[in-house]
Structure formats: C-alpha cells, structure tokens
Amino acid sequence: MNRLDMWSQKLKTRLKSFRTKLIVAALGCIILPATVMLSIYNVLTKEEIEAEAMRQSEEQLVLLSGYVMNVFDYMIYAANYMQMDADLNALLKELAKGKQYESEKERFEDRFFIISRLDSIKLLGSKVYATILLSNGDSFDNYGTDEYNSQLLWQEPWIAELDQLAGLQTLWLGAAPTVFNTEKMAGGYQLSLVRTLRGQGINPYAYAVVTIMERQVSSILSELGDGEEAFIVDGQSKIVSHPNESLIGSLYEPPSNVLGRSSVQLLRDGDRPYILASKPFTFTDWTLISLTPYEGAIASFNQIYNRVFISQLVTYCLFLVLFIYLTGTITRRLVHLGRVAEKVQRGNLEIRSHIRGEDEIGYVGRSFDQMLDQIKRMILEVSATHQNKREAELAMLQAQINPHFLFNVLNSIRMKVMRKGDLESAEMLSSLSKLLRLTISNKQETLPLHEEAAFIADYVKLMNMRQRQQVELVVELAAETLLLPVPKFCLQPIIENAMIHGLTQRAGTITIQAKLEQPFIAVTVTDDGVGMNEGRLLELRELTEQQREKPDETEYHERQFSSIGLHNVVERMRLKYGEKFHVTIDSEIGKGTSITFYIPSQAVNEDV
C-alpha cells in the first residue's frame, strides 16, 4: 500500500469517527441557522438601508430647498419692498398720473429718490436687478441704460399677462439668456419675477420687475456631492435652473407623479438605480428635483454594513476555531477509548483506557476497564472450567472398564443359566448386561430422564442381589419431565450413597420424583434411612457449592464403578445447565435424607 492509499484510508477513518460526525453535526446546527439569520438580516438591512437612503435624500432636498427658497424669498421681499414702500408708491402714483415739475431739479430729485431706493436692494452682496415700469411708459432701474435699456421690457411677451395679476400675485419668468451687458461677458441665464402695483383703482400704475442671475441658484444646487444632481423644472417640465448651464431650457421627462408634489422614489436607469426626490415651491409651479445614485447614497451604509459583516465573520471564524478546539478536547478521551477498543478487538486484553472522571465519558471509560477485567476473569474461569471438565471426563473414562469382552462373556453365561432354569440369576445377569451396554455407549453424553430411571432400576436390582435385605425403588416422574435430558449416571452416585450410607445396606425405600416447579424442574432422591447430623450436613452442603478438585486415588477406588461421586455429579450438572442450577440437601437423624436438583427450565428448552 503506497502513501496515497494510506492517507486515503486514514481520511476515510477520520470522516467516520465520532468526533468528526459530532463536529459536522454541531457545525450544521450552527451554520444553517446562522446562514438563515444572516440572509434575513441581509434582506432586512437592505430594506432599512434603502429606506434610510431615501430619507436622507429627502432631508437633503429639504435642506437644499431651504437655501434656494432663501434666494427666491429675497426676490419676493424685494418685490414686496417696492410694492409696500409708501413714499415710493406715492411718488410712483404721482408720476404715473403725469406729475408736473416746476424745475428739472425736482425731476432729478424724484428720480434720484426712486433709484436710490432700488439701489438698496441686494442679495447677499450680489447684484439684484430691480426695475419699475410706469403705466405711462416711463421706467426706473438700478443698473442704468449702459447695462440694459429697461424700456425694452415693454416689448417682452409676458407684458400682456401682467394685467391678469391681482394683489400680491407674482409672475415668475423662466430662465432666459441674460440681457445685461456686464453679465453677458460671463454668459449665463437670468431669473425674474414681475408684480403689478395698483392703487385704489383697478388699473395698475406700475410694474415691479426683480431679476437675479440663474447662477445664484445653480451655485447652491451644485453643492451636492459627486454624482448627485439637483435642478429646478417648471410646470411644463422645462429646466429652469441647473448646475450644467447647457441643460437650461431643455425638457426633462420625469415620472408623471413628480411635478408639483413631494415624493421620493427609487428608479432605475438601465442597470443604474438612483433615488429621485422632488419638492414643489409653494409660490409657483416650479419643482426642485434631486437625482442621487443609489450606490452613492448607500456608500456610507455599505461601509458600516461591510465592517459589521467582517466583524461578524471574524468572530464567527474565531468561534468555529474555538468550538473545534473545545470539541477536540472534550472528545479526546472518546477517541482514546476508541483506539483502546480497536486494540482489544485485535486481541489485546491487557490494555486499559485509564479514563476517569465524574462525567459520562469518565463513567464509560471506568465501565469499559471494569468490563475488560471481568472478561479476563471470565476467560480464566472458562478455561479452568474446561480443564476441570476434561479432567472429569478423563476420570470417568479411566473408571470405565473395557466391557467388550466382559459383555460377551456375561451374555453367554446368562444363556447357560437360563437353560438350566435359574431365572433369578439370568435376570441378574441381564441387568448387569444392560448396565454394561449403557457404559459402552460413549457417544451420547445425555439421555432422557426416564431412561436414566430405568438404568437406576437395573442398578438397584444388582445391589439388592449383593445384600440380604431388599431395597424398594419408587419412581414418580411427571409427564412433562420424562424427556428431560440429563447427564448419564447423574443419579447413580446418589442412589449408591442412599443404599450404602443412608440405608446402611438394609431394607428401605428410595424414591425418585421429578416435577415442574417454574422456573425449574425439580428432581428429588429421597431415602428413609438413618439420616445425618447437622455438622455432616453442613459439610456436605459446602462441598457441593465448591468446584470439585480432581479426585484422589482413595476416592477413585472407593467409587469403583461410577468413580464420580456426588461432587462430580453436581459439577457436571452445573456445566450443562449453567450457574442457575443448584442443589438442596436436607437430612434428619432417623428419618432419612433428601437431595433435590433444580434444573432451569429455560436451559432445558434451549438444549432441546
């Protein structure tokens, strides 16, 4: 395997690890809501930025409108001044009626008075061109004929509209190329308003004309930032004032709902979005309009938003690094436990995790180590049990007499005895032959309980023939216990002890009972012999509860035929039925002894 394959295998292993899955799951649970929240935040922020940009454009237009209104208000103030000055209007009325002068001095004085009043009209240090046209055709101005002949105003087309004005009504004239010689040198346009001067009568006695240069307004409009644009249009969508002089007088085609009303709209010129804000003037049909590129309007907001976003992103990245580090620290013990488990899987039962702590991981590590200790103990116990079982089987094999020759001889003797008519001896030989036949069969380790009982019956017959007094065997097996598989010769040592030690080779009764006592099947051997004292009973109970050591030579010779004894029987039963199998021994002096095997029903069902 080359390095690439090894690296690929390690990567696959890490991707399948609990730590990686935990980190991926946690990051998914964090990133998904964070992404959703960030998307919602972006949408809401963009909407709020758009609304704030439009508010700022509107506020900027209101502020700009205030400055422009200051200029227009001063023009209105100049017109009001000429209309409301009592001394000036009294003199103008007299002149309009054809006042007669006695001398040229008086005429000069009146003319000087009017012109001095007009000369006092100025706008922030800039020139305001004021003109009074009398109804008799005479005129007065504050600029002189070398600047412009005010008598030419009578030729303007708007003169015919002046008689339609009443009271303080004002006629605002749109932008027109300047007529003043000094202004022509700089070029540009002029803005004018006209108001009628009436006395008590209906017919006007004079007309007041106030004119300023358009650049006094456009200089204010040009104060906006780069890319922003502001201008004034009249009711016919004609541009009245614009920082770009070349556009004055041209038509602007705004949305239909802009002229004459205040509005703020987000429009799009191709791929270029912009904010259009409009605000009408109350004294005329003119409208102040500003155009602000949307990107420029939100530039400051974007900077703040980008800074906030970068701060959030940096914080989020730091959080991810901290999260991965803490997750790795927390799961380090789990990874170590996984590696220990992998080594255990390979057969190393000596290794331990040594993971401790008060949390769940510490509990798992401690339990894992305890489990390994218990497995090791169980392996030792199983090995010892198998060893004991093999020794027990060897002892049983050693105890068996090779019966082939003896079995054939016994059959021959039985046939001769029967021919001679000695049926009792023939029956004894038949029982002995059956016993030897069962001993020869080594392939089958267990047999049904009823066959074990039949074997015991033959064994008791043989034992009765060797002693003077007869022992009666009573067998009471419940129907559900007849097929109970039990180890061969498991009852023979019990019956032998009952006949030799319990009944002391005298007459008596031995009873074998088997019945179902859930969750066990109880097999009881009872004799009515001499019984045993309390000390001997306790000693026997303790011996049956301990694992049997290998029988010594003395025990082997004492057992002779069975060679197993009570202790071996108990051990064999435990090997077959498990730890739930147990034995009870009861005895009373003069009344006999009772030994009961409790076989788990579940173990029997599994065996069957």
Side-chain angles (χ1 to χ4, degrees):
M1 181 181 293
N2 55 33
R3 290 187 176 181
L4 181 61
D5 293 337
M6 294 178 62
W7 182 85
S8 177
Q9 186 66 29
K10 288 183 178 179
L11 179 61
K12 290 181 180 179
T13 303
R14 289 192 175 183
L15 291 177
K16 293 180 181 179
S17 68
F18 173 76
R19 175 188 290 179
T20 303
K21 292 179 180 178
L22 177 62
I23 292 176
V24 170
L27 291 181
C29 293
I30 295 173
I31 291 176
L32 183 60
T35 303
V36 174
M37 291 301 298
L38 188 60
S39 301
I40 296 174
Y41 171 75
N42 287 338
V43 173
L44 297 179
T45 301
K46 287 182 179 179
E47 292 178 355
E48 186 59 30
I49 288 176
E50 179 180 323
E52 184 61 27
M54 296 177 71
R55 279 197 298 270
Q56 286 197 1
S57 296
E58 184 178 17
E59 292 173 359
Q60 181 177 258
L61 184 66
V62 170
L63 182 62
L64 189 66
S65 174
Y67 289 121
V68 174
M69 279 297 298
N70 287 337
V71 177
F72 291 155
D73 285 345
Y74 192 82
M75 293 177 67
I76 295 173
Y77 165 77
N80 290 339
Y81 172 76
M82 289 187 286
Q83 188 175 12
M84 300 301 177
D85 190 315
D87 295 336
L88 177 61
N89 278 273
L91 180 57
L92 292 176
K93 290 177 183 179
E94 291 178 3
L95 294 175
K97 291 178 181 180
K99 179 180 179 180
Q100 300 296 321
Y101 291 100
E102 296 180 356
S103 64
E104 288 297 324
K105 179 182 179 182
E106 291 181 0
R107 183 187 299 275
F108 175 78
E109 289 177 351
D110 286 347
R111 192 170 189 86
F112 179 79
F113 173 78
I114 295 173
I115 292 175
S116 62
R117 290 297 177 94
L118 296 180
D119 279 339
S120 65
I121 301 174
K122 291 184 178 181
L123 176 61
L124 301 176
S126 300
K127 182 69 175 178
V128 175
Y129 297 93
T131 306
I132 294 178
L133 301 176
L134 292 178
S135 59
N136 61 4
D138 199 1
S139 62
F140 301 91
D141 56 66
N142 63 353
Y143 44 83
T145 56
D146 57 337
E147 190 72 47
Y148 175 69
N149 185 3
S150 58
Q151 288 294 320
L152 296 176
L153 293 177
W154 291 105
Q155 300 176 11
E156 294 293 333
W158 44 264
I159 290 293
E161 302 178 22
L162 298 180
D163 292 338
Q164 306 295 326
L165 301 178
L168 298 177
Q169 284 185 330
T170 302
L171 176 64
W172 288 84
L173 305 178
T178 182
V179 296
F180 303 105
N181 292 327
T182 56
E183 301 293 349
K184 286 181 179 179
M185 297 174 61
Y189 290 80
Q190 64 185 35
L191 300 174
S192 303
L193 67 80
V194 185
R195 185 178 290 178
T196 60
L197 303 180
R198 287 184 173 88
Q200 299 297 325
I202 298 176
N203 295 324
Y205 59 85
Y207 305 97
V209 181
V210 179
T211 302
I212 64 170
M213 297 308 296
E214 182 274 335
R215 60 176 170 270
Q216 293 177 257
V217 177
S218 63
S219 63
I220 298 174
L221 301 180
S222 63
E223 293 296 327
L224 296 179
D226 294 338
E228 298 182 70
E229 184 180 0
F231 51 90
I232 299 174
V233 297
D234 60 16
Q236 286 73 42
S237 300
K238 185 182 290 185
I239 296 177
V240 175
S241 179
H242 197 289
N244 185 354
E245 192 176 285
S246 63
L247 296 178
I248 296 176
S250 62
L251 290 177
Y252 171 71
E253 297 181 2
S256 59
N257 57 348
V258 169
L259 297 180
R261 62 186 295 269
S262 296
S263 66
V264 182
Q265 305 177 49
L266 180 60
L267 303 176
R268 186 174 293 277
D269 183 11
D271 295 334
R272 175 177 169 267
Y274 65 94
I275 299 174
L276 186 149
S278 63
K279 182 174 177 58
F281 295 103
T282 58
F283 49 80
T284 183
D285 62 352
W286 293 1
T287 302
L288 177 61
I289 296 175
S290 69
L291 302 177
T292 305
Y294 182 72
E295 295 298 330
I298 65 173
S300 59
F301 297 106
N302 279 339
Q303 289 180 357
I304 297 174
Y305 172 78
N306 290 335
R307 290 173 183 172
V308 172
F309 178 79
I310 292 174
S311 299
Q312 289 179 340
L313 184 62
V314 171
T315 303
Y316 188 69
C317 291
L318 291 176
F319 169 76
L320 287 182
V321 172
L322 180 61
F323 174 79
I324 293 174
Y325 171 75
L326 292 178
T327 303
T329 302
I330 294 173
T331 58
R332 185 177 295 119
R333 293 183 296 168
L334 284 178
V335 173
H336 175 66
L337 185 61
R339 292 172 180 169
V340 172
E342 184 178 357
K343 292 181 179 179
V344 171
Q345 184 181 10
R346 295 174 182 173
N348 186 359
L349 296 179
E350 301 299 328
I351 191 171
R352 297 294 182 268
S353 67
H354 301 294
I355 295 176
R356 299 295 181 266
E358 300 300 326
D359 57 358
E360 289 81 357
I361 299 178
Y363 174 76
V364 171
R366 185 167 53 253
S367 300
F368 185 79
D369 290 348
Q370 292 175 355
M371 180 188 68
L372 290 177
D373 294 338
Q374 186 175 2
I375 289 175
K376 187 175 180 181
R377 286 195 301 270
M378 291 177 65
I379 290 175
L380 294 176
E381 292 176 359
V382 169
S383 299
T385 300
H386 279 288
Q387 182 65 26
N388 291 337
K389 181 180 179 181
R390 292 186 63 185
E391 291 177 356
E393 292 175 349
L394 180 60
M396 189 175 71
L397 290 175
Q398 291 174 348
Q400 293 177 355
I401 303 173
N402 188 353
H404 294 284
F405 173 75
L406 183 60
F407 177 73
N408 293 329
V409 171
L410 286 175
N411 273 335
S412 299
I413 295 174
R414 184 174 67 86
M415 296 301 295
K416 289 183 178 182
V417 170
M418 287 182 65
R419 282 196 295 267
K420 292 181 178 182
D422 190 353
L423 298 179
E424 182 179 357
S425 298
E427 184 180 358
M428 182 176 65
L429 291 173
S430 176
S431 297
L432 181 58
S433 177
K434 290 179 182 179
L435 179 61
L436 291 177
R437 185 185 301 275
L438 187 60
T439 304
I440 292 174
S441 178
N442 292 324
K443 295 181 180 180
Q444 187 177 3
E445 294 185 357
T446 62
L447 70 165
L449 181 60
H450 70 90
E451 293 185 9
E452 177 73 7
F455 159 72
I456 293 301
D458 290 330
Y459 176 75
V460 171
K461 288 180 181 178
L462 291 175
M463 293 296 289
N464 281 336
M465 290 181 180
R466 56 180 287 194
Q467 61 186 30
R468 297 179 179 179
Q469 298 181 2
Q470 301 296 303
V471 174
E472 181 183 1
L473 177 66
V474 179
V475 180
E476 299 175 356
L477 304 180
E480 60 270 17
T481 66
L482 294 176
L483 299 179
L484 171 66
V486 295
K488 289 191 301 184
F489 311 127
C490 65
L491 296 181
Q492 182 270 332
I494 312 301
I495 299 299
E496 181 181 2
N497 288 337
M499 296 182 70
I500 296 175
H501 302 292
L503 298 176
T504 62
Q505 297 184 349
R506 297 180 182 178
T509 302
I510 298 175
T511 304
I512 300 176
Q513 292 180 323
K515 59 184 177 179
L516 183 63
E517 295 181 4
Q518 290 291 356
F520 297 98
I521 296 175
V523 179
T524 305
V525 178
T526 306
D527 66 70
D528 54 0
V530 297
M532 65 183 76
N533 57 39
E534 190 69 22
R536 177 57 182 166
L537 179 61
L538 291 176
E539 180 183 353
L540 191 59
R541 287 175 178 174
E542 290 177 358
L543 289 175
T544 56
E545 292 175 357
Q546 298 175 356
Q547 291 189 353
R548 174 176 172 80
E549 300 294 336
K550 181 178 178 179
D552 56 18
E553 293 298 325
T554 303
E555 182 183 5
Y556 173 77
H557 290 295
E558 288 179 352
R559 297 284 187 240
Q560 288 189 355
F561 186 83
S562 69
S563 77
I564 296 176
L566 175 60
H567 306 312
N568 277 347
V569 170
V570 172
E571 183 180 356
R572 291 175 63 201
M573 299 290 273
R574 281 178 180 160
L575 287 174
K576 179 169 181 59
Y577 300 115
E579 294 297 325
K580 291 185 178 180
F581 168 82
H582 61 280
V583 181
T584 60
I585 303 175
D586 298 304
S587 183
E588 188 175 348
I589 298 295
K591 292 187 177 180
T593 302
S594 175
I595 299 177
T596 303
F597 295 156
Y598 289 94
I599 302 173
S601 302
Q602 182 179 2
V604 173
N605 294 331
E606 292 176 354
D607 186 73
V608 173

